[in-house]
Amino acid sequence: MKIIINGKEEAVAENATLEEIVASRGLNPGGIIVELNYALVKRESWPDTILRENDRVEILRFVGGG
Amino acid sequence: MADALKIGGRDLTSRLFLGTGKFSANRLIPEVVKASGAQVVTVALRRVDTDYQEENIAAYVPAGCILMPNTSGARTAEEAVRIARLARAAGCGDWVKIEVIRDNRYLLPDNYETIKATEILAAEGFVVLPYMSPDLSVAKRLAEAGAAAVMPLGSPIGSNRGLRTRELIRILIEEIPLPIIVDAGIGRPSEAAEAMEMGAAAVLVNTAIATAGDPVAMGRAFGLAVEAGRAAYLAGMPGTVDYARASSPLTGFLRD
Amino acid sequence: MIKGTGNVSFYEERLKYAGFDFEGFFRRVTDADIERALARDRLAPQDYLALLSPRAEGFLEEMAQRAHRLTVQHFGRVILLYTPMYLSDHCVNQCLYCGFRAQNRLERKKLTPAQVEEEARVIAATGLKHVLILTGESRRESPVSYIRECVEVLRKHFTSISIEIYPLELEEYRELISAGVDGLTIYQEVYDEEVYAALHPAGPKRNYRFRLEAPERACRAGIRTVNVGALLGLHHWRSEAFFTGLHAGYLQDKFPEVEVSMSPPRMRPQMGGFQPRVKVGDRNLVQYMLAFRLFMPRAGITISTRERAELRDHLVRLGATRMSAGSCTAVGGRLEHWSAGQFEISDERSVAEMARMIYSQGYQPVFKDWHTV
Ligand code: SF4
């Protein structure tokens, strides 16, 4: 199925969880924030969050800024 | 506490706010914080670039500092609100610097959208510090909307051109009962000192420190300049006497 | 408004100074405090108070030079002329210092709209375009509907109509504004709440707060100008001047679209012989005007014909921006001399004489400074 990650369409396995998506990208879960369809998903809930077709995932982090 | 800057229930002794963009290495940040004495540090929220690993900037901000996420990247009030809520949900605390920019050429803020975002976020209990183009009626509206301070720009972001908006900022300092924090454009410690002498409550500096030859030493220089300017303001600037003693007194007729 | 100081009324604002030790403050003021206040671009309330101190009397000439320069800078060399018109002297209040108070026996008068028209013609013939209408407080004899009727008549003759009447509700201000009123003058008389209570023993005017917040209501209703003041002679003038300045400053901050001004009226002898409790000399009056001008560089200062001609001539260059002329404090007084006035006037010069005096000082008398389109 396809979902949108950070604005880009990507193909992922059916029933993939948020946890798997983050892990597959080699991201350190400590430093990022994940939003699913414009709602924040807490770190604890990532393994239980199953993705559906056309879901929008935003993976964000704090960076330097003024 | 003597001469504390009170914002959002906090008493700040340092009147230098530090931005964390453009540093050549994040490990400099804690050192700059220490050298400058800054207690409020800004960060931004961005989409992760999955192609290369970045570090989490928040890990470099010493504990005890107030982490103030900005809403850079927002082009509308709605986007700014969304970023602010996310940052808070991610554990950033209540402080937020609203920055709404639709102009990619000069990077000047959109005051109208900024007011809207301020109103929404203040109602949600955020400590809102809006970045704005200095304008008196906008500042009044921001105050009414519940801003905790107003942050007019000295000149466009990153331009290091100094206090080009001096007169307008002076009017805000005179007229607005909130702390006025000069944000953007300050390129040298002397300009930070000047803003403080004028009565600004604080200044926010990023580029001038981050891109200096020695950012840590420059952080210290800004810290000292801000203190000096504040001390001068508190001492009561003597002012220039701009009238000559008139030859014909206006009050000579008074006899009783 | 969500939070911030947006909804605090001046009544609440003033409470910040409850129990403030004015005497102690004045004792501690130094020359350096006054010099610093004089050098500031924008004065804080304590700077204003320093300039009102007895010590600042030694700096009167410096204050005058600066006040003069600021006035010319913000207003130019012009004096706006207006004249008062008394519509009715019926009054249910008992202000101890007023000749119109309810218990004074006098034959009460009230102009009919036809008489208003007649008097308006007499005034308009002098060239004046600004009129200030006054009444005592009587919702029976001079209700809002009566005032509106008079305003409708006056509109034909004047470009600006101000009211100096009892305090109204917001909706009533709206009604009069839509009928053509553009200015409100309302003096608190005395800002000290206890003294206020003692001087107003009976009648609706006992409601201190309702009167104090009247200018705010008028501003919210969309008035164009407001004029506040304390009647000098009722209480310590320095603290009264201070609160008048704070009141004007409050209104200017909160309603930037409104033109705010102040009057420093001194008590005049009147029927019934109430003697001023505090002497306010010319030097005091001048100090007050100058300190106020430095504190509020853009606010108007109105000087009435209560003051002597010779003094008024000097005040032209000391910060005044508006003066009354050709005044008469009796109802229908311009038609025939049939009633006693509220107080005695001191400057009886005609409008033409006032205009000549103003010209002779290098200023321009202005009869009309705006006109709605
Ligand atoms: S001052 Fe006004 S309210 Fe008081 S008695 Fe006189 S006319 Fe009436």
Side-chain angles (χ1 to χ4, degrees), chain C residues 91 93-95 97-98 100-102 135-137 189 205 342:
Chain C
C91 191
N93 286 317
Q94 291 288 0
C95 313
Y97 46 83
C98 174
F100 285 167
R101 70 176 175 273
T135 65
E137 176 150 10
E189 319 289 15
K205 197 166 169 180
Q342 188 188 25

Side-chain angles (χ1 to χ4, degrees), chain C residues 261-329:
Chain C
S261 57
M262 165 290 260
S263 293
R266 286 196 286 185
M267 281 204 63
R268 295 283 309 146
Q270 37 76 30
M271 266 187 9
F274 179 89
Q275 284 308 307
R277 297 185 168 183
V278 177
K279 184 170 158 19
V280 183
D282 289 355
R283 186 175 291 275
N284 303 141
L285 177 75
V286 166
Q287 184 183 356
Y288 175 15
M289 284 178 60
L290 299 175
F292 180 86
R293 169 58 66 233
L294 301 191
F295 181 55
M296 298 279 296
R298 286 164 299 172
I301 297 180
T302 308
I303 303 293
S304 77
T305 43
R306 290 164 188 264
E307 302 301 342
R308 306 185 312 282
E310 181 245 349
L311 177 62
R312 295 221 304 166
D313 294 0
H314 288 292
L315 299 185
V316 167
R317 299 204 297 152
L318 292 175
T321 57
R322 277 200 286 186
M323 289 188 169
S324 53
S327 297
C328 171
T329 67

Side-chain angles (χ1 to χ4, degrees), chain C residues 337-350:
Chain C
H337 288 282
W338 41 265
S339 68
Q342 188 188 25
F343 56 84
E344 293 169 20
I345 63 173
S346 303
D347 183 351
E348 306 207 348
R349 286 177 292 187
S350 69

Side-chain angles (χ1 to χ4, degrees), chain C residues 232-269:
Chain C
L232 302 178
L234 298 180
H235 193 47
H236 305 300
W237 73 267
R238 296 180 203 273
S239 54
E240 289 293 309
F242 178 65
F243 286 122
T244 308
L246 288 190
H247 198 179
Y250 167 88
L251 293 167
Q252 194 169 79
D253 281 351
K254 190 153 174 194
F255 305 101
E257 68 282 11
V258 176
E259 208 179 292
V260 178
S261 57
M262 165 290 260
S263 293
R266 286 196 286 185
M267 281 204 63
R268 295 283 309 146

